[in-house]
Amino acid sequence: MRRLLGTSILLLWLNLLGFSQAPKQLILQKSSYSIKSLFRELNNNYNLEFAFSNNVVNLKSTYIPSNSKISLEELLKELAKQNNLDFEINGQTIYLRHRKKTESRLVTISGIIKDKFNGEALIGAHVTIEGSTQGVTSNTYGFYSLSLPAGNYKLQATYTGYNDLSASVDLRANSKYDFVMEEQVSRLKEVVVTAREPDANVIDVIPGKNVLHFKSEGDIPYFLGEVDVLQGSLLLPGINNLGEDSNGINVRGGSADQNLILLDEATIYNASHFYGLISVFNPESVNDVEILKGSIPSQYGGRISSVINIRQKEGNNKEFHMAGGIGLVAARLTLEGPIKKDKSSFLIAGRRSILNLAIRNADFNNIGNNRANFEDFNFKVNLKPNEKNRLYVSGYYGNDRNETGFETFRRWGNRTLTFRWNRLLSEKLFSNFSVILSQYSYRVTDLREAGSFFGTSRIINYDTKLDYSYFLNPNNKFNFGAGTGLIRLNPGDRLPLPTSGSTNPVQLDTEHGFNSFLYANHETRVSRLKLAYGFRVSSLHNIGAGDVYVYDSEIRSTDNIIDTVSYNTKEVIKSYIGFEPRIAANVQLNSSMSIKASYNRNYQYLHLISNTISPAPTDIWKISDTYIKPTRADQYSIGLFKNFKNNEIETYVDFYYQDLNNILEYKTNADLLLNETIETEIISGTGRSYGLELMAKKSYGSLQGWVSYSLSRTERKVQGPAPELTINDGKYFPANSDQTHQFSCTGLYSLSERLSGSANFIFSTGRPITLPSDKFEFNDIIIPHFTERNQDRLPNYHRLDLSLKLQGRKVKKNGKIKKRIDYWTFSVYNVYARKNAFSYLFRESEVNPGQTEIVKYSILPTAIPAITYNFRL
């Protein structure tokens, strides 16, 4: 009896302690239950008790078991999943409570994406989680950062022209992983206009962006066989120039000075050699070129039309290489290699014209008697002290010399020096500190007997800036930073030569501008929507020493100056502050199609003063001051972007509208040369530019190429308080860069393993010109009289270029076949010798002396063949 009582008490005690066992297998009688009826059946049949608060479980909700025979644990897991519950089994009692909200622990994997052969950082490569759309893009220095919940993942890196690379990673803690990618082997390696990843045309949030990869291998026709950055960009929609002998390029109707051209972050003020036909960028030293014309990210500013960002190669940090070539225009040589393998490298590149290049025209002896030569030099050194720091020093020196038919010698050139310090502050935070020097100067020497002189002008920028990139997670990235700089501008001096006998020097006051900016930008993704939005606050302080003239009316002239205000050194003359909002959106409709839209505002505080057809190397720059306000542009765009055949074919149509304020125009017959009161010749107006751009591109296969078309208008309106401050009665008139239709077609075809051919065809509407409305006689000479501005046009421009490229034979080393080391290009520019008009000139008629005639002037009126030899060792 005592034994039985003891056993009963022990069993009861164990039950109270929770040691009694709940049933492992359950048999349910129904296919569907309310929660209340389920609990009742389990209590009746299995003696299970459920403990919970009133607000934890909705007893009227339905539970449908996955099987009539089910374990208790499986049933409880199903219940918990359906009702967001946690459960605990204690003997025959099941405790139910709300599931605790726990945040997954995120860990970060980061690193550099680079080329296996030379160690170059791959800019804009894409890293994704295999089987997912989550991913990030590498920045300007090849850095990526991806934050994910702890676990096992398979990551994939993609980059156009390179084999995809996968890596399996076990993320338990923050870690570093570098993707070292190998270039694809194909017959046509150079896809000149390409996205950075195969589907970037669709997934990139920024509309109106093009990336040009220059491998300097001449797969498309170039002028005289010289592979060229700016010539390549002219084959894209919305980008053109005003013809041969025109400096710079025009983007969406903007003038040449409205493009921010950067070489390793340093400003290039004049980007042309040899009458604008060749750019100052040696293709052997260029990594890639990014052109932003639809939406400009907030880290860029100071120009209103576009950003053209050219990045030099870093230099091969694996092994020494040499490349070069020679053609009819220039000879070039590039050396690169490691200073210490995988730790530091260098690049040195030089180029020089080999002949005294000339453009001649039998119809215009003086104008046609022009000779030119040029040279440029690039260098870059980079050093990696450790895994978190990297240092870069790069520079450029360029020099042009030109002798005109008027016994005038001109010399001009750019100089740049850039120091950059990359630092990885954490796995998510990347920083870059830059110190930049940019300079542009020219000198003109006039050797004519009457009044011989020499003139000079110079502009120098001293800039510092600090940029940060914070990779919060795959769907959120922040860019922010600030910078400041000083502009020192000598608008021009005119000093007599000792032999001239003249004693009338002209020296304009040196101008100084202190500029600063700060910016922030957030890139985010929510389902199918990608957003990149932010702002930029920019400012300019025009500072002394200097004099400001005071006029007695809005009609400024030297006759109505009533006072002069003098400012001391470093005293603020005039200040401007601009708030520049930026936003871009991408709605991805499916994996191959998206809609993109954007809005951005830009201010420009520095202006090129020129009333010529195309900017000349000797035009002067002007800092915004009391009378010349900053130019402001507001641009809107929307477009449809579609890829076909697994991204083999890319297409898009993009619409844009740009509203312009404080655009500079000039009075009729304005005198701009060394004018101490330049504000008396300048008038301000408004403008608008609008149009659509179409492009289709095929980047794979034996036949590659693209077709582009632009339909656009660019107009100006100047309505002043007086007739002399008004143009064309205050009506809209075409801007100098207005070209209604632009069409280009580029094709590349692989004829054999060693031989490929290519062709370009270009067509554009003739640019606006001003022809005389009547004429009058003065001293027995007929003088044309001009009234309405830009109401006529030159004839349409069109041209066909052809090229053949012959690869050298593969060479053997140690019994192994290596890749080819040289190639030849044979090209013909302007195949059918179209005499495209650059302008109309007025001269005395040879048939009717004393009469003035209008004659069409062509720069390159004939076909021009060329041959170049190139090598890479």
Side-chain angles (χ1 to χ4, degrees):
M1 183 71 178
R2 289 178 180 175
R3 187 176 296 174
L4 179 61
L5 179 61
T7 302
S8 299
I9 293 173
L10 178 61
L11 291 174
L12 177 61
W13 182 250
L14 292 174
N15 186 57
L16 291 173
L17 291 176
F19 290 146
S20 60
Q21 297 296 314
K24 292 185 178 180
Q25 192 73 17
L26 304 176
I27 298 177
L28 302 180
Q29 307 298 324
K30 298 179 183 180
S31 59
S32 176
Y33 293 89
S34 68
I35 299 296
K36 185 176 181 179
S37 63
L38 174 67
F39 287 176
R40 185 184 298 119
E41 181 176 309
L42 294 177
N43 180 260
N44 293 335
N45 295 344
Y46 300 100
N47 199 30
L48 293 173
E49 296 288 345
F50 290 86
F52 53 90
S53 300
N54 291 333
N55 62 346
V56 172
V57 180
N58 180 5
L59 296 176
K60 294 181 180 181
S61 62
T62 301
Y63 167 69
I64 300 175
S66 59
N67 202 315
S68 60
K69 293 182 179 180
I70 188 171
S71 70
L72 176 61
E73 188 173 0
E74 288 179 33
L75 181 143
L76 292 175
K77 285 182 178 179
E78 290 179 359
L79 274 176
K81 184 176 181 180
Q82 291 177 15
N83 296 274
N84 196 30
L85 302 172
D86 280 332
F87 64 88
E88 179 183 344
I89 303 174
N90 190 350
Q92 296 291 111
T93 304
I94 293 97
Y95 295 93
L96 300 176
R97 61 182 66 89
H98 284 301
R99 178 167 293 166
K100 294 180 181 179
K101 294 182 179 180
T102 58
E103 294 185 2
S104 299
R105 183 173 65 91
L106 293 179
V107 293
T108 301
I109 183 169
S110 60
I112 303 295
I113 308 174
K114 52 190 175 182
D115 185 291
K116 180 179 179 180
F117 172 69
N118 56 30
E120 291 274 353
L122 299 181
I123 306 164
H126 207 50
V127 178
T128 56
I129 304 167
E130 194 169 82
S132 168
T133 57
Q134 278 191 311
V136 293
T137 301
S138 62
N139 69 6
T140 304
Y141 302 95
F143 175 78
Y144 78 95
S145 177
L146 192 60
S147 296
L148 300 165
N152 294 312
Y153 296 93
K154 191 169 186 179
L155 302 181
Q156 185 173 49
T158 58
Y159 190 72
T160 296
Y162 285 74
N163 296 316
D164 293 351
L165 186 62
S166 297
S168 296
V169 293
D170 183 8
L171 291 184
R172 301 298 173 192
N174 293 340
S175 58
K176 184 178 184 297
Y177 187 87
D178 292 341
F179 284 95
V180 182
M181 304 185 70
E182 191 170 358
E183 190 176 5
Q184 293 174 348
V185 178
S186 61
R187 290 181 182 176
L188 292 177
K189 291 191 297 181
E190 181 188 30
V191 181
V192 177
V193 182
T194 177
R196 285 171 174 168
E197 57 261 17
D199 57 351
N201 180 57
V202 173
I203 68 172
D204 201 319
V205 71
I206 303 296
K209 179 170 82 171
N210 295 106
V211 178
L212 288 74
H213 289 292
F214 279 82
K215 296 185 181 295
S216 65
E217 298 194 3
D219 283 330
I220 67 173
Y222 292 99
F223 177 70
L224 294 179
E226 291 292 313
V227 176
D228 190 80
V229 170
L230 295 187
Q231 283 192 59
S233 69
L234 295 176
L235 302 173
L236 303 176
I239 303 177
N240 66 294
N241 63 12
L242 301 181
E244 290 95 358
D245 198 26
S246 59
N247 284 296
I249 63 175
N250 307 96
V251 179
R252 289 186 169 177
S255 57
D257 69 313
Q258 293 170 356
N259 305 307
L260 178 63
I261 303 177
L262 301 173
L263 177 64
D264 279 352
E265 302 185 12
T267 302
I268 298 295
Y269 285 97
N270 187 320
S272 299
H273 287 315
F274 191 44
Y275 313 106
L277 293 167
I278 299 171
S279 79
V280 300
F281 307 108
N282 185 340
E284 297 284 0
S285 66
V286 172
N287 186 355
D288 76 346
V289 181
E290 181 182 58
I291 301 175
L292 302 166
K293 55 187 171 71
S295 179
I296 298 176
S298 55
Q299 59 261 44
Y300 300 109
R303 301 293 189 273
I304 62 171
S305 283
S306 73
V307 174
I308 302 174
N309 197 8
I310 297 116
R311 302 178 181 91
Q312 293 192 94
K313 295 176 182 176
E314 296 176 7
N316 194 314
N317 66 9
K318 304 290 184 182
E319 55 188 15
F320 177 81
H321 285 277
M322 178 171 61
I326 187 169
L328 299 183
V329 175
R332 61 186 184 276
L333 180 67
T334 300
L335 307 175
E336 60 177 324
I339 299 173
K340 184 176 181 181
K341 190 172 182 180
D342 294 327
K343 292 291 184 180
S344 57
S345 64
F346 74 92
L347 179 140
I348 299 173
R351 180 175 59 165
R352 194 183 193 285
S353 56
I354 57 176
L355 299 172
N356 205 16
L357 304 169
I359 289 183
R360 299 181 181 276
N361 191 307
D363 296 328
F364 303 92
N365 292 327
N366 285 338
I367 294 176
N369 220 6
N370 286 296
R371 294 183 177 275
N373 55 66
F374 64 86
E375 61 197 16
D376 48 43
F377 173 79
N378 301 71
F379 81 91
K380 191 168 187 177
V381 175
N382 74 85
L383 171 67
K384 186 169 71 172
N386 52 52
E387 292 298 326
K388 291 190 174 183
N389 293 276
R390 194 156 191 172
L391 304 174
Y392 301 85
V393 179
S394 61
Y396 169 83
Y397 169 89
N399 199 34
D400 281 76
R401 292 169 295 277
N402 170 235
E403 176 186 353
T404 72
F406 301 104
E407 297 183 67
T408 301
F409 297 86
R410 301 187 298 178
R411 185 177 184 138
W412 66 92
N414 299 277
R415 316 281 189 270
T416 74
L417 182 64
T418 304
F419 168 80
R420 288 178 292 176
W421 175 23
N422 289 175
R423 181 167 174 78
L424 185 60
L425 300 173
S426 72
E427 288 77 8
K428 294 184 178 184
L429 185 60
F430 179 92
S431 70
N432 176 68
F433 174 69
S434 301
V435 179
I436 307 160
L437 170 68
S438 304
Q439 176 186 303
Y440 175 73
S441 61
Y442 75 77
R443 177 187 174 106
V444 177
T445 304
D446 190 331
L447 297 181
R448 288 175 291 184
E449 293 182 4
S452 57
F453 70 93
F454 72 90
T456 62
S457 179
R458 175 179 296 175
I459 181 170
I460 305 177
N461 282 54
Y462 306 92
D463 297 297
T464 61
K465 67 187 190 76
L466 184 58
D467 303 290
Y468 291 95
S469 295
Y470 181 66
F471 299 80
L472 178 62
N473 55 47
N475 293 326
N476 290 277
K477 177 186 174 184
F478 296 88
N479 295 310
F480 52 95
T484 187
L486 176 69
I487 305 171
R488 190 172 187 272
L489 170 61
N490 173 16
D493 298 331
R494 176 178 172 138
L495 304 174
L497 292 172
T499 57
S500 68
S502 174
T503 58
N504 296 313
V506 177
Q507 291 182 289
L508 301 183
D509 290 340
T510 298
E511 300 180 20
H512 297 85
F514 180 78
N515 63 77
S516 58
F517 67 88
L518 62 88
Y519 72 91
N521 188 70
H522 177 209
E523 296 178 22
T524 186
R525 174 176 178 167
V526 181
S527 186
R528 294 179 178 271
L529 173 66
K530 286 185 179 180
L531 280 176
Y533 63 92
F535 68 90
R536 180 184 180 92
V537 178
S538 58
S539 67
L540 173 81
H541 304 283
N542 190 312
I543 56 179
D547 295 331
V548 176
Y549 296 107
V550 180
Y551 301 87
D552 65 358
S553 72
E554 292 184 59
I555 306 173
R556 297 186 294 270
S557 72
T558 54
D559 296 329
N560 61 3
I561 296 175
I562 59 174
D563 197 5
T564 301
V565 180
S566 296
Y567 293 85
N568 297 323
T569 301
K570 298 182 181 179
E571 187 176 359
V572 175
I573 299 173
K574 184 67 176 178
S575 295
Y576 294 99
I577 297 178
F579 178 70
E580 307 173 31
R582 317 277 176 91
I583 185 170
N586 177 329
V587 179
Q588 195 161 342
L589 304 178
N590 54 48
S591 61
S592 64
M593 183 165 60
S594 64
I595 295 174
K596 303 181 189 181
S598 69
Y599 162 75
N600 63 90
R601 170 175 287 182
N602 291 275
Y603 282 92
Q604 181 164 335
Y605 301 98
L606 190 62
H607 317 272
L608 186 64
I609 305 301
S610 173
N611 61 352
T612 57
I613 297 169
S614 171
T618 51
D619 288 331
I620 65 171
W621 291 84
K622 187 78 176 71
I623 301 173
S624 290
D625 59 16
T626 304
Y627 299 108
I628 300 175
K629 297 180 180 180
T631 303
R632 191 191 76 202
D634 294 272
Q635 181 173 244
Y636 312 81
S637 73
I638 187 169
L640 178 67
F641 297 75
K642 170 69 175 174
N643 287 3
F644 298 90
K645 292 188 175 181
N646 196 27
N647 301 317
E648 288 188 13
I649 298 175
E650 300 177 14
T651 65
Y652 70 78
V653 55
D654 201 10
F655 299 86
Y656 69 90
Y657 179 86
Q658 191 176 53
D659 186 56
L660 305 166
N661 286 277
N662 300 325
I663 287 288
L664 299 190
E665 286 291 341
Y666 306 95
K667 294 179 180 179
T668 302
N669 300 318
D671 179 14
L672 303 180
L673 182 62
L674 298 172
N675 190 334
E676 295 178 332
T677 57
I678 193 71
E679 64 270 13
T680 63
E681 304 294 339
I682 294 174
I683 49 182
S684 179
T686 60
R688 61 188 182 189
S689 179
Y690 53 92
L692 69 87
E693 299 171 355
L694 299 165
M695 186 169 181
K697 177 170 72 74
K698 182 177 183 292
S699 302
Y700 299 90
S702 296
L703 176 63
Q704 301 177 23
W706 62 93
V707 177
S708 69
Y709 171 74
S710 300
L711 174 65
S712 63
R713 290 300 305 269
T714 302
E715 299 172 315
R716 302 285 185 262
K717 182 179 181 180
V718 180
Q719 176 70 66
E724 56 264 47
L725 301 181
T726 301
I727 298 176
N728 291 11
D729 298 323
K731 301 174 183 177
Y732 277 106
F733 63 92
N736 289 337
S737 55
D738 178 59
Q739 292 180 315
T740 309
H741 302 281
Q742 299 173 49
F743 172 82
S744 69
C745 180
T746 300
L748 304 87
Y749 185 70
S750 179
L751 300 168
S752 68
E753 189 176 359
R754 294 180 57 201
L755 184 63
S756 59
S758 58
N760 292 335
F761 177 75
I762 298 173
F763 171 90
S764 64
T765 303
R767 66 170 181 81
I769 58 170
T770 302
L771 292 179
S773 56
D774 54 279
K775 56 188 177 181
F776 61 91
E777 185 174 338
F778 180 76
N779 290 339
D780 297 325
I781 300 293
I782 301 299
I783 306 297
H785 178 235
F786 301 90
T787 54
E788 297 292 302
R789 189 172 298 185
N790 285 358
Q791 296 302 297
D792 296 283
R793 288 185 180 272
L794 291 174
N796 294 334
Y797 180 101
H798 52 88
R799 190 188 80 234
L800 174 67
D801 307 326
L802 297 176
S803 176
L804 277 178
K805 174 181 171 183
L806 178 64
Q807 295 271 14
R809 297 184 182 277
K810 291 181 178 179
V811 298
K812 289 185 178 181
K813 186 176 181 179
N814 298 327
K816 296 182 179 179
I817 296 178
K818 298 188 69 176
K819 63 181 181 180
R820 297 180 176 88
I821 62 171
D822 62 351
Y823 65 93
W824 294 82
T825 59
F826 308 88
S827 63
V828 181
Y829 181 89
N830 194 15
V831 171
Y832 51 83
R834 164 76 175 179
K835 293 185 178 180
N836 289 300
F838 178 71
S839 65
Y840 286 132
L841 299 181
F842 301 89
R843 68 180 184 185
E844 183 178 357
S845 173
E846 296 178 357
V847 178
N848 300 305
Q851 300 294 317
T852 301
E853 64 177 357
I854 302 175
V855 181
K856 182 174 75 173
Y857 176 56
S858 298
I859 302 292
L860 300 172
T862 187
I864 302 176
I867 180 172
T868 60
Y869 172 75
N870 304 271
F871 67 89
R872 188 179 299 276
L873 302 175

